[in-house]
Amino acid sequence: MSSKPKVVMTNKILDEPYNWLKERVNLVCWEEESQPPQEVIKSWLQDADGLYSTFYPVTKTLLEDAKKLKVVSQCAVGYDNIDVNYCTERKIPVCNTPHVVVEATAELTYGLLICAARDIINAVNYVKEGKWIKNFGYPLSHDLHGKTLGIFGMGNVGSALARRAKASLMNVIYHNRKPNPNDKSLNARYVSFDELIETSDYLVVLSPLTPETRGKFNYEVFKRMKKTAILINAARGPIVVTEDLYKALLDKEIAFAALDVVDPEPIPFNSPLLNLPNVIITPHIGTATYETRLNMMQLAAENLLDVLEGRKPKYCVNSEVL
């Protein structure tokens, strides 16, 4: 019988961190492409010491029979899928992987911003569909320089986006729970939520999903935005009310939306959003570069092993239990 701690992994990860962790623990992993059934993970956890989550729903129901569990380590920054309060009650550390995701997420967000402003996806399809029969025939798009970029959630990713916007000569404003201490170096100005939604030409959602931000962007908010405004969401889908966004785009309350996250996710193939010409949607690829995912997966493995071997993990969202 192995003396190594038992760790349950909800989906296979890249070979390097997978093999690194497998050498050190008794690893039980769901290796199919699909999401594992809850009853399977729940049964595996009954005698497990650790859970390595690839953004799997970690509920009280899932964990209540896992009497030996010592740590939940998630390969992600956000942890809205985890019942952190229950874990804290059980004195189970919940670890995540911030910082290593910042630049990749900011790059993707900036890419969505440029694609939306310049209508790049529709322009590519215009050529592919054989509609380019003369120059200067495609509808005009919009500049970034001189325009106002509004950022809802000026954390690490928001700050990285602001640095990129500075290179595009944009005017950056933002709204947070409190001002960012580095906003002067970012040439960004703190504003109220009202000013953010009413004056932004491009409004980027980058806040965590919390009870306060869930459903924050609804039809009433869209009605107060500029008719020419473009919304970009690279945070969490439920911060934006999907039905309200569809109605706002259809009613031309706002001009365009570029989304890396949606609600629900994955988006159903028959969602009416997919039929609108003024929406582009990517499949939640903010951190989906080889380098970033490798760093995330390795960090999640190291956080998990640190707890199991009695060390303080590098990142823990409920550090009071340590």
Side-chain angles (χ1 to χ4, degrees):
M1 186 173 178
S2 173
S3 61
K4 295 178 180 178
K6 178 181 175 181
V7 171
V8 173
M9 180 178 285
T10 56
N11 278 105
K12 182 77 184 291
I13 59 174
L14 292 172
D15 286 345
E16 295 95 322
Y18 178 84
N19 292 333
W20 183 90
L21 188 60
K22 192 172 183 179
E23 288 176 2
R24 292 160 172 81
V25 301
N26 174 20
L27 189 61
V28 181
C29 178
W30 180 264
E31 299 200 17
E32 297 180 28
E33 289 294 324
S34 61
Q35 179 161 286
Q38 187 183 66
E39 59 268 21
V40 172
I41 300 300
K42 186 176 172 71
S43 66
W44 287 352
L45 284 171
Q46 286 184 3
D47 61 345
D49 300 284
L51 172 61
Y52 186 113
S53 170
T54 54
F55 215 77
Y56 188 80
V58 182
T59 62
K60 178 180 178 179
T61 302
L62 186 75
L63 300 182
E64 58 189 358
D65 296 329
K67 303 303 183 184
K68 291 179 58 183
L69 196 70
K70 301 176 180 66
V71 58
V72 174
S73 186
Q74 173 140 288
C75 183
V77 180
Y79 44 88
D80 48 274
N81 61 305
I82 300 174
D83 190 336
V84 176
N85 290 333
Y86 177 70
C87 289
T88 302
E89 287 174 18
R90 292 268 308 271
K91 294 186 166 39
I92 299 170
V94 176
C95 304
N96 67 337
T97 59
H99 302 304
V100 296
V101 308
V102 170
E103 299 303 331
T105 306
E107 285 172 357
L108 188 278
T109 307
Y110 192 55
L112 287 175
L113 175 63
I114 295 171
C115 282
R118 298 305 307 269
D119 198 24
I120 289 174
I121 305 301
N122 285 329
V124 168
N125 291 333
Y126 177 85
V127 175
K128 286 185 173 182
E129 292 163 6
K131 296 178 180 177
W132 187 19
I133 56 176
K134 66 172 184 176
N135 285 335
F136 307 111
Y138 191 76
L140 301 179
S141 57
H142 297 280
D143 291 331
L144 291 184
H145 66 271
K147 297 296 180 66
T148 296
L149 172 67
I151 300 175
F152 180 70
M154 185 66 117
N156 293 324
V157 178
S159 297
L161 179 63
R163 293 198 304 271
R164 289 161 172 81
K166 184 178 178 181
S168 290
L169 306 179
M170 300 186 79
N171 169 41
V172 180
I173 60 175
Y174 72 97
H175 181 75
N176 247 10
R177 284 173 296 181
K178 56 185 179 181
N180 186 308
N182 300 315
D183 58 6
K184 285 186 173 56
S185 66
L186 295 168
N187 285 341
R189 181 170 62 88
Y190 180 80
V191 298
S192 67
F193 182 71
D194 289 342
E195 184 174 348
L196 183 85
I197 63 174
E198 290 169 3
T199 63
S200 294
D201 296 301
Y202 304 94
L203 205 164
V204 180
V205 179
L206 288 172
S207 70
L209 176 61
T210 66
E212 293 72 33
T213 63
R214 183 179 292 273
K216 184 76 171 179
F217 286 83
N218 54 33
Y219 193 75
E220 291 307 310
V221 168
F222 297 135
K223 282 178 66 177
R224 294 171 58 194
M225 291 170 63
K226 292 181 177 182
K227 301 288 186 185
T228 54
I230 290 174
L231 178 80
I232 294 105
N233 187 6
R236 286 288 182 264
I239 298 173
V240 175
V241 181
T242 302
E243 296 80 6
D244 289 5
L245 175 61
Y246 172 75
K247 188 175 189 309
L249 290 164
L250 199 64
D251 295 347
K252 295 183 169 41
E253 294 295 346
I254 62 173
F256 203 98
L259 313 171
D260 186 46
V261 291
V262 289
D263 182 32
E265 198 171 285
I267 190 168
F269 73 94
N270 59 350
S271 169
L273 266 182
L274 299 177
N275 296 321
L276 294 178
N278 52 343
V279 178
I280 55 175
I281 302 174
T282 51
H284 202 150
I285 57 171
T287 63
T289 67
Y290 176 80
E291 297 85 354
T292 296
R293 286 285 172 86
L294 180 62
N295 288 335
M296 291 170 66
M297 292 169 181
Q298 182 65 32
L299 177 55
E302 291 172 2
N303 282 335
L304 183 142
L305 201 66
D306 280 342
V307 175
L308 293 181
E309 295 185 347
R311 297 184 296 274
K312 185 177 180 181
K314 191 169 185 179
Y315 298 107
C316 180
V317 304
N318 58 345
S319 57
E320 64 270 26
V321 307
L322 295 172

